[in-house]
Amino acid sequence: DIQMTQSPSSLSASVGDRVTITCRASQSITNYLNWYQQKPGQAPKLLIYAASNLQSGVPSRFSGSGSGTEFTLTISSLQPEDFAVYHCQQSYSNSPLTFGPGTKVGIE
Amino acid sequence: QITLKESGPALVKPTQTLALTCTFSGFSLSSRGVGVGWIRQPPGKALEWLGLFHWDDDTRYSPSLKRRITITKDTSKNQVVLTMTNMDPVDTATYFCVHRPEMATTRGGFDVWGPGIMVTVSS
């Protein structure tokens, strides 16, 4: 299995802050890396696919980068609606597809 | 507009078989490259991929669960059914069905999710 890790597991930030979350894969997944946002009681929502491509309708303050084994999700200016849990997912291998443990972005 | 919705029992007893139905609209599961998958999330824990039914009837399962799960489709009803045998309290989770477009679109990302259904396993 390809193991996914995320850091930090949680963070506190203020509105307007720049926030960066890191996701690492246990082996190279080229750019088969996707990011999701999940708010309490809701299903996850696709934010970024293929490491750096913004899903339709997602605000441009979200961006993704990386390749191989290390990836980052950046929120350039945190907004009140961005407080949520962020998950990364590799789609390089479907035996199995795997998710990271999640990063909770809370209010400072 | 693509939508998916999960349905099934909210409570099952240990050792019973769970059957969940995903009813979808806005796309055809016969379209090249399209898939419908199942993902679950125990309370407060990470997402876990269970399996994926592809447009060409190819079905992939999580190796850790493949002995217990089956995913089938009912084309006439636009439904995909997840069956999981020998349920245990550790299987308590919210179960989501998801749409996966062809790989060239989102490189395997799941672009539309159902709202999820909470399933509790308890006697």
Side-chain angles (χ1 to χ4, degrees):
Chain A
D1 297 10
I2 298 176
Q3 308 299 323
M4 306 300 293
T5 59
Q6 289 182 234
S7 60
S9 56
S10 64
L11 64 91
S12 295
S14 300
V15 173
D17 284 353
R18 181 181 182 88
V19 169
T20 299
I21 299 168
T22 298
C23 176
R24 291 185 175 87
S26 59
Q27 66 183 74
S28 177
I29 56 172
T30 65
N31 69 339
Y32 284 81
L33 190 283
N34 310 299
W35 289 98
Y36 300 85
Q37 175 194 65
Q38 185 177 27
K39 297 181 180 179
Q42 296 184 17
K45 169 188 171 184
L46 180 64
L47 295 178
I48 302 280
Y49 64 92
S52 60
N53 294 272
L54 202 63
Q55 175 67 350
S56 175
V58 174
S60 59
R61 62 181 180 272
F62 292 92
S63 64
S65 64
S67 67
T69 62
E70 188 159 330
F71 303 86
T72 59
L73 172 70
T74 299
I75 309 172
S76 60
S77 177
L78 197 66
Q79 297 302 300
E81 60 268 30
D82 301 337
F83 293 97
V85 177
Y86 293 85
H87 307 271
C88 62
Q89 175 234 338
Q90 65 82 16
S91 49
Y92 180 82
S93 166
N94 63 6
S95 189
L97 295 169
T98 46
F99 290 86
T103 294
K104 183 176 182 179
V105 175
I107 303 172
E108 188 162 53
Chain B
Q1 180 192 4
I2 292 173
T3 64
L4 308 99
K5 187 173 183 179
E6 308 85 356
S7 59
L11 178 67
V12 297
K13 292 179 169 29
T15 76
Q16 286 187 336
T17 295
L18 172 69
L20 294 177
T21 299
C22 174
T23 302
F24 60 86
S25 64
F27 68 96
S28 170
L29 193 43
S30 300
S31 296
R32 186 176 184 85
V34 171
V36 170
W38 287 93
I39 292 165
R40 70 179 179 179
Q41 185 175 37
K45 295 189 177 181
L47 298 162
E48 179 184 16
W49 175 75
L50 304 180
L52 184 63
F53 188 98
H54 294 86
W55 66 284
D56 57 359
D57 292 348
D58 179 40
T59 310
R60 301 299 173 103
Y61 298 108
S62 170
S64 64
L65 291 168
K66 68 181 301 181
R67 293 180 186 178
R68 297 177 51 210
I69 61 175
T70 305
I71 300 175
T72 58
K73 76 170 182 180
D74 185 333
T75 306
S76 64
K77 296 181 181 178
N78 276 358
Q79 292 178 335
V80 171
V81 178
L82 168 72
T83 304
M84 182 178 293
T85 62
N86 195 25
M87 292 291 286
D88 183 271
V90 301
D91 298 312
T92 294
T94 298
Y95 288 74
F96 299 99
C97 70
V98 295
H99 173 264
R100 199 215 64 187
E102 60 173 346
M103 287 296 284
T105 301
T106 62
R107 281 289 190 113
F110 302 110
D111 64 344
V112 184
W113 294 58
I117 182 169
M118 177 66 193
V119 178
T120 300
V121 184
S122 174
S123 54

PDB file of all heavy atoms in Angstrom, chain A residues 53-79:
ATOM      1  N   ASN A  53      -3.988  21.407  -9.932  1.00  0.00           N
ATOM      2  CA  ASN A  53      -5.100  21.897 -10.738  1.00  0.00           C
ATOM      3  C   ASN A  53      -6.317  22.211  -9.869  1.00  0.00           C
ATOM      4  O   ASN A  53      -6.817  21.349  -9.140  1.00  0.00           O
ATOM      5  CB  ASN A  53      -5.483  20.853 -11.789  1.00  0.00           C
ATOM      6  CG  ASN A  53      -4.384  20.639 -12.808  1.00  0.00           C
ATOM      7  OD1 ASN A  53      -4.308  21.327 -13.819  1.00  0.00           O
ATOM      8  ND2 ASN A  53      -3.487  19.700 -12.519  1.00  0.00           N
ATOM      9  N   LEU A  54      -6.767  23.445  -9.980  1.00  0.00           N
ATOM     10  CA  LEU A  54      -7.899  23.898  -9.177  1.00  0.00           C
ATOM     11  C   LEU A  54      -9.198  23.335  -9.759  1.00  0.00           C
ATOM     12  O   LEU A  54      -9.485  23.514 -10.945  1.00  0.00           O
ATOM     13  CB  LEU A  54      -7.932  25.424  -9.188  1.00  0.00           C
ATOM     14  CG  LEU A  54      -8.651  26.141  -8.064  1.00  0.00           C
ATOM     15  CD1 LEU A  54      -7.999  25.868  -6.728  1.00  0.00           C
ATOM     16  CD2 LEU A  54      -8.691  27.639  -8.349  1.00  0.00           C
ATOM     17  N   GLN A  55      -9.972  22.660  -8.928  1.00  0.00           N
ATOM     18  CA  GLN A  55     -11.266  22.158  -9.372  1.00  0.00           C
ATOM     19  C   GLN A  55     -12.187  23.345  -9.665  1.00  0.00           C
ATOM     20  O   GLN A  55     -12.107  24.403  -9.010  1.00  0.00           O
ATOM     21  CB  GLN A  55     -11.871  21.237  -8.305  1.00  0.00           C
ATOM     22  CG  GLN A  55     -13.268  20.729  -8.571  1.00  0.00           C
ATOM     23  CD  GLN A  55     -13.378  19.772  -9.743  1.00  0.00           C
ATOM     24  OE1 GLN A  55     -12.452  19.580 -10.513  1.00  0.00           O
ATOM     25  NE2 GLN A  55     -14.534  19.128  -9.860  1.00  0.00           N
ATOM     26  N   SER A  56     -13.065  23.165 -10.619  1.00  0.00           N
ATOM     27  CA  SER A  56     -13.995  24.212 -11.013  1.00  0.00           C
ATOM     28  C   SER A  56     -14.787  24.726  -9.803  1.00  0.00           C
ATOM     29  O   SER A  56     -15.295  23.948  -8.997  1.00  0.00           O
ATOM     30  CB  SER A  56     -14.962  23.666 -12.067  1.00  0.00           C
ATOM     31  OG  SER A  56     -15.935  24.619 -12.391  1.00  0.00           O
ATOM     32  N   GLY A  57     -14.852  26.049  -9.692  1.00  0.00           N
ATOM     33  CA  GLY A  57     -15.630  26.660  -8.624  1.00  0.00           C
ATOM     34  C   GLY A  57     -14.881  26.894  -7.328  1.00  0.00           C
ATOM     35  O   GLY A  57     -15.407  27.524  -6.409  1.00  0.00           O
ATOM     36  N   VAL A  58     -13.662  26.410  -7.243  1.00  0.00           N
ATOM     37  CA  VAL A  58     -12.871  26.571  -6.019  1.00  0.00           C
ATOM     38  C   VAL A  58     -12.145  27.917  -6.073  1.00  0.00           C
ATOM     39  O   VAL A  58     -11.532  28.257  -7.091  1.00  0.00           O
ATOM     40  CB  VAL A  58     -11.867  25.416  -5.865  1.00  0.00           C
ATOM     41  CG1 VAL A  58     -10.938  25.644  -4.665  1.00  0.00           C
ATOM     42  CG2 VAL A  58     -12.618  24.094  -5.706  1.00  0.00           C
ATOM     43  N   PRO A  59     -12.187  28.676  -4.997  1.00  0.00           N
ATOM     44  CA  PRO A  59     -11.541  29.998  -4.997  1.00  0.00           C
ATOM     45  C   PRO A  59     -10.048  29.925  -5.270  1.00  0.00           C
ATOM     46  O   PRO A  59      -9.364  28.977  -4.869  1.00  0.00           O
ATOM     47  CB  PRO A  59     -11.812  30.520  -3.581  1.00  0.00           C
ATOM     48  CG  PRO A  59     -13.019  29.781  -3.119  1.00  0.00           C
ATOM     49  CD  PRO A  59     -12.928  28.430  -3.735  1.00  0.00           C
ATOM     50  N   SER A  60      -9.552  30.965  -5.911  1.00  0.00           N
ATOM     51  CA  SER A  60      -8.149  30.974  -6.334  1.00  0.00           C
ATOM     52  C   SER A  60      -7.168  31.148  -5.179  1.00  0.00           C
ATOM     53  O   SER A  60      -5.953  31.041  -5.376  1.00  0.00           O
ATOM     54  CB  SER A  60      -7.920  32.079  -7.367  1.00  0.00           C
ATOM     55  OG  SER A  60      -8.268  33.335  -6.815  1.00  0.00           O
ATOM     56  N   ARG A  61      -7.654  31.395  -3.969  1.00  0.00           N
ATOM     57  CA  ARG A  61      -6.745  31.464  -2.824  1.00  0.00           C
ATOM     58  C   ARG A  61      -6.183  30.082  -2.467  1.00  0.00           C
ATOM     59  O   ARG A  61      -5.220  29.977  -1.715  1.00  0.00           O
ATOM     60  CB  ARG A  61      -7.422  32.089  -1.599  1.00  0.00           C
ATOM     61  CG  ARG A  61      -8.609  31.325  -1.062  1.00  0.00           C
ATOM     62  CD  ARG A  61      -9.232  32.053   0.142  1.00  0.00           C
ATOM     63  NE  ARG A  61     -10.397  31.338   0.681  1.00  0.00           N
ATOM     64  CZ  ARG A  61     -11.621  31.523   0.232  1.00  0.00           C
ATOM     65  NH1 ARG A  61     -11.853  32.376  -0.745  1.00  0.00           N
ATOM     66  NH2 ARG A  61     -12.633  30.849   0.794  1.00  0.00           N
ATOM     67  N   PHE A  62      -6.818  29.038  -2.987  1.00  0.00           N
ATOM     68  CA  PHE A  62      -6.311  27.684  -2.799  1.00  0.00           C
ATOM     69  C   PHE A  62      -5.339  27.350  -3.937  1.00  0.00           C
ATOM     70  O   PHE A  62      -5.626  27.624  -5.100  1.00  0.00           O
ATOM     71  CB  PHE A  62      -7.442  26.654  -2.793  1.00  0.00           C
ATOM     72  CG  PHE A  62      -8.344  26.738  -1.605  1.00  0.00           C
ATOM     73  CD1 PHE A  62      -9.502  27.507  -1.644  1.00  0.00           C
ATOM     74  CD2 PHE A  62      -8.040  26.059  -0.436  1.00  0.00           C
ATOM     75  CE1 PHE A  62     -10.334  27.598  -0.538  1.00  0.00           C
ATOM     76  CE2 PHE A  62      -8.874  26.126   0.674  1.00  0.00           C
ATOM     77  CZ  PHE A  62     -10.023  26.902   0.625  1.00  0.00           C
ATOM     78  N   SER A  63      -4.224  26.745  -3.583  1.00  0.00           N
ATOM     79  CA  SER A  63      -3.286  26.287  -4.603  1.00  0.00           C
ATOM     80  C   SER A  63      -2.565  25.047  -4.109  1.00  0.00           C
ATOM     81  O   SER A  63      -2.456  24.809  -2.895  1.00  0.00           O
ATOM     82  CB  SER A  63      -2.279  27.383  -4.971  1.00  0.00           C
ATOM     83  OG  SER A  63      -1.468  27.700  -3.848  1.00  0.00           O
ATOM     84  N   GLY A  64      -2.095  24.257  -5.048  1.00  0.00           N
ATOM     85  CA  GLY A  64      -1.368  23.045  -4.716  1.00  0.00           C
ATOM     86  C   GLY A  64      -0.089  22.959  -5.520  1.00  0.00           C
ATOM     87  O   GLY A  64       0.000  23.499  -6.619  1.00  0.00           O
ATOM     88  N   SER A  65       0.891  22.282  -4.935  1.00  0.00           N
ATOM     89  CA  SER A  65       2.152  22.094  -5.635  1.00  0.00           C
ATOM     90  C   SER A  65       2.783  20.784  -5.196  1.00  0.00           C
ATOM     91  O   SER A  65       2.343  20.155  -4.225  1.00  0.00           O
ATOM     92  CB  SER A  65       3.106  23.263  -5.367  1.00  0.00           C
ATOM     93  OG  SER A  65       3.451  23.297  -3.991  1.00  0.00           O
ATOM     94  N   GLY A  66       3.839  20.408  -5.905  1.00  0.00           N
ATOM     95  CA  GLY A  66       4.585  19.213  -5.541  1.00  0.00           C
ATOM     96  C   GLY A  66       4.531  18.141  -6.597  1.00  0.00           C
ATOM     97  O   GLY A  66       3.722  18.185  -7.521  1.00  0.00           O
ATOM     98  N   SER A  67       5.413  17.189  -6.440  1.00  0.00           N
ATOM     99  CA  SER A  67       5.431  16.011  -7.300  1.00  0.00           C
ATOM    100  C   SER A  67       6.299  14.957  -6.639  1.00  0.00           C
ATOM    101  O   SER A  67       7.090  15.267  -5.737  1.00  0.00           O
ATOM    102  CB  SER A  67       5.957  16.336  -8.698  1.00  0.00           C
ATOM    103  OG  SER A  67       7.315  16.687  -8.631  1.00  0.00           O
ATOM    104  N   GLY A  68       6.144  13.723  -7.075  1.00  0.00           N
ATOM    105  CA  GLY A  68       6.934  12.651  -6.489  1.00  0.00           C
ATOM    106  C   GLY A  68       6.348  12.183  -5.165  1.00  0.00           C
ATOM    107  O   GLY A  68       5.349  11.464  -5.152  1.00  0.00           O
ATOM    108  N   THR A  69       6.958  12.618  -4.075  1.00  0.00           N
ATOM    109  CA  THR A  69       6.498  12.180  -2.760  1.00  0.00           C
ATOM    110  C   THR A  69       6.068  13.309  -1.833  1.00  0.00           C
ATOM    111  O   THR A  69       5.544  13.040  -0.755  1.00  0.00           O
ATOM    112  CB  THR A  69       7.585  11.362  -2.035  1.00  0.00           C
ATOM    113  OG1 THR A  69       8.725  12.205  -1.822  1.00  0.00           O
ATOM    114  CG2 THR A  69       7.993  10.118  -2.822  1.00  0.00           C
ATOM    115  N   GLU A  70       6.312  14.550  -2.198  1.00  0.00           N
ATOM    116  CA  GLU A  70       5.993  15.660  -1.294  1.00  0.00           C
ATOM    117  C   GLU A  70       5.127  16.698  -1.981  1.00  0.00           C
ATOM    118  O   GLU A  70       5.442  17.177  -3.065  1.00  0.00           O
ATOM    119  CB  GLU A  70       7.268  16.303  -0.747  1.00  0.00           C
ATOM    120  CG  GLU A  70       6.987  17.332   0.328  1.00  0.00           C
ATOM    121  CD  GLU A  70       8.186  17.607   1.208  1.00  0.00           C
ATOM    122  OE1 GLU A  70       9.011  16.701   1.410  1.00  0.00           O
ATOM    123  OE2 GLU A  70       8.298  18.753   1.705  1.00  0.00           O
ATOM    124  N   PHE A  71       4.043  17.061  -1.303  1.00  0.00           N
ATOM    125  CA  PHE A  71       3.045  17.961  -1.869  1.00  0.00           C
ATOM    126  C   PHE A  71       2.604  18.968  -0.817  1.00  0.00           C
ATOM    127  O   PHE A  71       2.653  18.688   0.390  1.00  0.00           O
ATOM    128  CB  PHE A  71       1.827  17.145  -2.346  1.00  0.00           C
ATOM    129  CG  PHE A  71       2.181  16.076  -3.336  1.00  0.00           C
ATOM    130  CD1 PHE A  71       2.592  14.818  -2.897  1.00  0.00           C
ATOM    131  CD2 PHE A  71       2.113  16.316  -4.695  1.00  0.00           C
ATOM    132  CE1 PHE A  71       2.935  13.827  -3.803  1.00  0.00           C
ATOM    133  CE2 PHE A  71       2.451  15.333  -5.609  1.00  0.00           C
ATOM    134  CZ  PHE A  71       2.866  14.091  -5.168  1.00  0.00           C
ATOM    135  N   THR A  72       2.164  20.125  -1.297  1.00  0.00           N
ATOM    136  CA  THR A  72       1.648  21.127  -0.375  1.00  0.00           C
ATOM    137  C   THR A  72       0.338  21.696  -0.875  1.00  0.00           C
ATOM    138  O   THR A  72       0.118  21.842  -2.082  1.00  0.00           O
ATOM    139  CB  THR A  72       2.642  22.280  -0.158  1.00  0.00           C
ATOM    140  OG1 THR A  72       2.908  22.888  -1.414  1.00  0.00           O
ATOM    141  CG2 THR A  72       3.929  21.792   0.471  1.00  0.00           C
ATOM    142  N   LEU A  73      -0.517  22.012   0.071  1.00  0.00           N
ATOM    143  CA  LEU A  73      -1.736  22.771  -0.176  1.00  0.00           C
ATOM    144  C   LEU A  73      -1.553  24.105   0.526  1.00  0.00           C
ATOM    145  O   LEU A  73      -1.203  24.145   1.716  1.00  0.00           O
ATOM    146  CB  LEU A  73      -2.953  22.051   0.392  1.00  0.00           C
ATOM    147  CG  LEU A  73      -4.274  22.837   0.368  1.00  0.00           C
ATOM    148  CD1 LEU A  73      -4.780  22.997  -1.065  1.00  0.00           C
ATOM    149  CD2 LEU A  73      -5.337  22.140   1.224  1.00  0.00           C
ATOM    150  N   THR A  74      -1.776  25.190  -0.185  1.00  0.00           N
ATOM    151  CA  THR A  74      -1.622  26.524   0.382  1.00  0.00           C
ATOM    152  C   THR A  74      -2.932  27.285   0.260  1.00  0.00           C
ATOM    153  O   THR A  74      -3.574  27.262  -0.789  1.00  0.00           O
ATOM    154  CB  THR A  74      -0.498  27.302  -0.323  1.00  0.00           C
ATOM    155  OG1 THR A  74       0.744  26.598  -0.150  1.00  0.00           O
ATOM    156  CG2 THR A  74      -0.355  28.703   0.268  1.00  0.00           C
ATOM    157  N   ILE A  75      -3.292  27.934   1.349  1.00  0.00           N
ATOM    158  CA  ILE A  75      -4.407  28.882   1.340  1.00  0.00           C
ATOM    159  C   ILE A  75      -3.762  30.252   1.529  1.00  0.00           C
ATOM    160  O   ILE A  75      -3.151  30.515   2.577  1.00  0.00           O
ATOM    161  CB  ILE A  75      -5.427  28.598   2.458  1.00  0.00           C
ATOM    162  CG1 ILE A  75      -5.853  27.122   2.429  1.00  0.00           C
ATOM    163  CG2 ILE A  75      -6.646  29.500   2.303  1.00  0.00           C
ATOM    164  CD1 ILE A  75      -6.702  26.699   3.615  1.00  0.00           C
ATOM    165  N   SER A  76      -3.864  31.108   0.538  1.00  0.00           N
ATOM    166  CA  SER A  76      -3.071  32.341   0.551  1.00  0.00           C
ATOM    167  C   SER A  76      -3.565  33.354   1.584  1.00  0.00           C
ATOM    168  O   SER A  76      -2.765  34.074   2.180  1.00  0.00           O
ATOM    169  CB  SER A  76      -3.072  32.983  -0.838  1.00  0.00           C
ATOM    170  OG  SER A  76      -4.403  33.302  -1.226  1.00  0.00           O
ATOM    171  N   SER A  77      -4.848  33.388   1.809  1.00  0.00           N
ATOM    172  CA  SER A  77      -5.424  34.316   2.779  1.00  0.00           C
ATOM    173  C   SER A  77      -6.662  33.641   3.367  1.00  0.00           C
ATOM    174  O   SER A  77      -7.721  33.635   2.729  1.00  0.00           O
ATOM    175  CB  SER A  77      -5.788  35.642   2.111  1.00  0.00           C
ATOM    176  OG  SER A  77      -6.403  36.515   3.047  1.00  0.00           O
ATOM    177  N   LEU A  78      -6.498  33.081   4.543  1.00  0.00           N
ATOM    178  CA  LEU A  78      -7.537  32.252   5.150  1.00  0.00           C
ATOM    179  C   LEU A  78      -8.826  33.042   5.365  1.00  0.00           C
ATOM    180  O   LEU A  78      -8.802  34.171   5.888  1.00  0.00           O
ATOM    181  CB  LEU A  78      -7.024  31.694   6.477  1.00  0.00           C
ATOM    182  CG  LEU A  78      -7.771  30.514   7.083  1.00  0.00           C
ATOM    183  CD1 LEU A  78      -7.622  29.273   6.204  1.00  0.00           C
ATOM    184  CD2 LEU A  78      -7.239  30.240   8.486  1.00  0.00           C
ATOM    185  N   GLN A  79      -9.937  32.456   4.945  1.00  0.00           N
ATOM    186  CA  GLN A  79     -11.254  33.067   5.122  1.00  0.00           C
ATOM    187  C   GLN A  79     -12.064  32.284   6.162  1.00  0.00           C
ATOM    188  O   GLN A  79     -11.767  31.105   6.427  1.00  0.00           O
ATOM    189  CB  GLN A  79     -11.990  33.099   3.789  1.00  0.00           C
ATOM    190  CG  GLN A  79     -11.292  33.950   2.734  1.00  0.00           C
ATOM    191  CD  GLN A  79     -11.111  35.390   3.190  1.00  0.00           C
ATOM    192  OE1 GLN A  79     -12.087  36.083   3.465  1.00  0.00           O
ATOM    193  NE2 GLN A  79      -9.849  35.831   3.276  1.00  0.00           N
TER     194      GLN A  79
END
